[in-house]
Amino acid sequence: EPEVTQTPSHQVTQMGQEVILRCVPISNHLYFYWYRQILGQKVEFLVSFYNNEISEKSEIFDDQFSVERPDGSNFTLKIRSTKLEDSAMYFCASRATGYQPQHFGDGTRLSIL
Amino acid sequence: EDQVTQSPEALRLQEGESSSLNCSYTVSGLRGLFWYRQDPGKGPEFLFTLYSAGEEKEKERLKATLTKKESFLHITAPKPEDSATYLCAVQGYGGATNKLIFGTGTLLAVQP
């Protein structure tokens, strides 16, 4: 069964450093998402991406965050200057069309020191 | 503002002991309500989508139902492998895309 793949599974970074989280969505999907889950809290929406542009973003997704689909298969989330509060699990999700559900990857655990 | 509240926060059952999980929601026009299962260290795994009040979906020991204000996930004769966190999420018609608004989940432990 097709699945969303995320790398790395765990990323440890010093505060202030840039980090790129990578995702390979399911191949025929058109809509792409990033969510995050701080330990013990809800899964929160960050951003959605369709047709090579951001469709919607949350208040969390400030100027330090950016997303890109550099080729036909990868979808990345970049945090330019990481803060301690960016420590969380980051999930990538993709969706086909219409009313199809979002399918999630297993996440990247980001730890900021 | 769209909101999802799940109860109970945690539930411990004996194998074979049926029960229900609750998801109450407030949304400006429901496009869909979704149930996911999340195992420790993993991403949410899709279970069901419900679109309108009165709808029901079933999969093995799980059955999801929907009213205008809440959804229930019924677990019949659970087994230890059903132990996981069950997440409820809604999509509303507000916003440009089908973002999901999640509840905090119910942590289910099924003991043999």
Side-chain angles (χ1 to χ4, degrees), chain A residues 85-101:
Chain A
E85 54 264 39
D86 293 328
S87 295
M89 281 289 285
Y90 287 81
F91 293 109
C92 173
S94 68
R95 177 173 70 88
T97 58
Y99 291 103
Q100 296 299 308

Side-chain angles (χ1 to χ4, degrees), chain A residues 62-100:
Chain A
D62 62 21
D63 292 344
Q64 294 301 311
F65 291 86
S66 62
V67 289
E68 194 177 34
R69 188 153 163 83
D71 53 42
S73 59
N74 290 285
F75 181 49
T76 61
L77 175 69
K78 183 195 291 187
I79 308 175
R80 272 182 260 283
S81 178
T82 50
K83 304 171 190 166
L84 293 175
E85 54 264 39
D86 293 328
S87 295
M89 281 289 285
Y90 287 81
F91 293 109
C92 173
S94 68
R95 177 173 70 88
T97 58
Y99 291 103
Q100 296 299 308

Side-chain angles (χ1 to χ4, degrees), chain A residues 42, chain B residues 3-7 22-26 71 88 102-105:
Chain A
K42 297 181 181 185
Chain B
Q3 237 176 356
V4 176
T5 303
Q6 292 187 246
S7 61
N22 177 263
C23 170
S24 299
Y25 64 90
T26 306
S71 176
C88 174
F102 281 88
T104 50

Side-chain angles (χ1 to χ4, degrees), chain A residues 31 33 35 37 41-45 48 50 55-56 89 91 95 98-107 109, chain B residues 3-4 31 34 36 38 41-44 46 49 51 87 91 93-100 102-104:
Chain A
Y31 298 84
Y33 305 83
Y35 292 82
Q37 186 175 32
Q41 298 186 22
K42 297 181 181 185
V43 176
E44 300 175 287
F45 168 76
S48 58
Y50 170 72
S55 306
E56 187 176 359
M89 281 289 285
F91 293 109
R95 177 173 70 88
Y99 291 103
Q100 296 299 308
Q102 294 178 30
H103 293 272
F104 286 76
D106 281 339
R109 179 178 301 281
Chain B
Q3 237 176 356
V4 176
R31 185 179 297 204
F34 299 79
Y36 286 85
Q38 187 175 27
K42 300 288 187 179
F46 171 72
T49 310
Y51 295 110
L87 302 175
Q91 281 178 354
Y93 279 100
T97 58
N98 293 350
K99 68 181 180 188
L100 294 173
F102 281 88
T104 50

